[in-house]
Amino acid sequence: MITVGLSLKGRPCLVVGGGQVALRRIEKLIEEEASIRVVSPEVLPEIVAYHEQGKLQWIEAPYASNDMVGQQFVIIATDRPDVNEAVLQDARAVGAFINRADVKEDSNWVFGSSTQIGDLDISIFTNQVSPRVSRLLRQDIERRYTILAEWLPQIRLWRQELQRLLATSKEREQFWRIYLGESEFIQILEGHGDSVKENIVHAISRIRSES
């Protein structure tokens, strides 16, 4: 499976089921501003609240094949294997991306454990082996890389200036190889990035004066 990032803003997403598993996935879809339709005779109070807030459409009924019309992404999350299998076959028939909670092998679209720290957006996939390991990795990354996220806005500004000062991508790549290599990266993570910043600023100033 190839790991990719998808923008689901405005895209039709069907969720069949209304329990805790469905809720966790729905909350991710809401963050992405997807167009969400939930089909289930009963749902958790949180899902009802999202429906009342206009964040999703809840169809208070058992799943029917016509619910699949126009859907692109499908989440199958009921506690009935027969219903899940029926949804699976309908989703395959329309070529939708499928996330099935009870049979992982039927999924061709999976949720990773993700975290966003400033401009740093990281997703973690363990090939569906261990959600617990994914959560632990996410927590470790959040602790370890918060300081790096604080650097990203400044790095963006430096990159923009270097694009004006250095004519070719090869020159820019060489610059970053010299001034933001592995040792500099480690210094930043360890909280000793002042000298790294000073060297980058001086180097850019020198290039600017020579231009």
Side-chain angles (χ1 to χ4, degrees):
M1 186 173 289
I2 298 174
T3 303
V4 298
L6 295 172
S7 173
L8 298 181
K9 185 174 182 178
R11 291 185 177 273
C13 295
L14 174 66
V15 180
V16 183
Q20 286 292 342
V21 173
L23 176 62
R24 288 196 296 271
R25 286 157 171 74
I26 286 168
E27 289 176 337
K28 289 180 178 291
L29 296 178
I30 289 174
E31 291 176 6
E32 286 295 310
E33 300 181 39
S35 176
I36 309 165
R37 175 184 295 175
V38 178
V39 177
S40 179
E42 297 179 354
V43 297
L44 293 174
E46 293 91 335
I47 298 176
V48 175
Y50 287 136
H51 170 70
E52 293 172 345
Q53 295 164 14
K55 295 182 178 180
L56 56 80
Q57 177 191 21
W58 171 33
I59 307 299
E60 190 177 355
Y63 170 79
S65 291
N66 59 8
D67 292 318
M68 190 63 65
V69 176
Q71 298 301 320
Q72 298 177 353
F73 295 87
V74 177
I75 294 172
I76 307 172
T78 83
D79 57 2
R80 291 186 52 184
D82 59 327
V83 173
N84 291 348
E85 187 64 26
V87 179
L88 174 70
Q89 297 307 320
D90 288 346
R92 284 176 172 170
V94 300
F97 287 95
I98 300 163
N99 179 271
R100 180 172 178 176
D102 61 334
V103 182
K104 305 296 185 183
E105 293 76 12
D106 287 336
S107 299
N108 56 15
W109 168 47
V110 298
F111 289 86
S113 179
S114 61
T115 183
Q116 186 166 6
I117 314 167
D119 288 330
L120 190 62
D121 195 346
I122 300 173
S123 294
I124 302 159
F125 295 87
T126 56
N127 200 24
Q128 305 184 66
V129 173
S130 175
R132 175 61 179 165
V133 170
S134 294
R135 285 193 292 271
L136 291 171
L137 281 169
R138 186 194 69 230
Q139 292 168 8
D140 181 67
I141 287 170
E142 289 171 350
R143 288 192 299 268
R144 188 183 302 270
Y145 292 109
T146 295
I147 192 169
L148 179 62
E150 296 170 0
W151 273 67
L152 293 181
Q154 181 60 64
I155 290 175
R156 180 187 293 111
L157 295 176
W158 287 331
R159 288 187 69 244
Q160 291 171 351
E161 183 164 12
L162 286 170
Q163 285 174 345
R164 294 190 297 268
L165 295 173
L166 299 176
T168 68
S169 59
K170 185 176 181 180
E171 290 176 294
R172 295 190 292 271
E173 182 180 348
Q174 179 66 16
F175 177 94
W176 290 116
R177 187 179 295 115
I178 294 171
Y179 294 102
L180 192 58
E182 184 175 349
S183 61
E184 288 79 14
F185 183 73
I186 292 172
Q187 288 180 59
I188 292 170
L189 293 183
E190 292 179 346
H192 306 300
D194 288 347
S195 61
V196 176
K197 182 179 295 184
E198 183 177 343
N199 288 340
I200 292 174
V201 169
H202 286 170
I204 292 177
S205 296
R206 186 173 62 253
I207 294 170
R208 191 187 303 117
S209 66
E210 294 173 353
S211 300

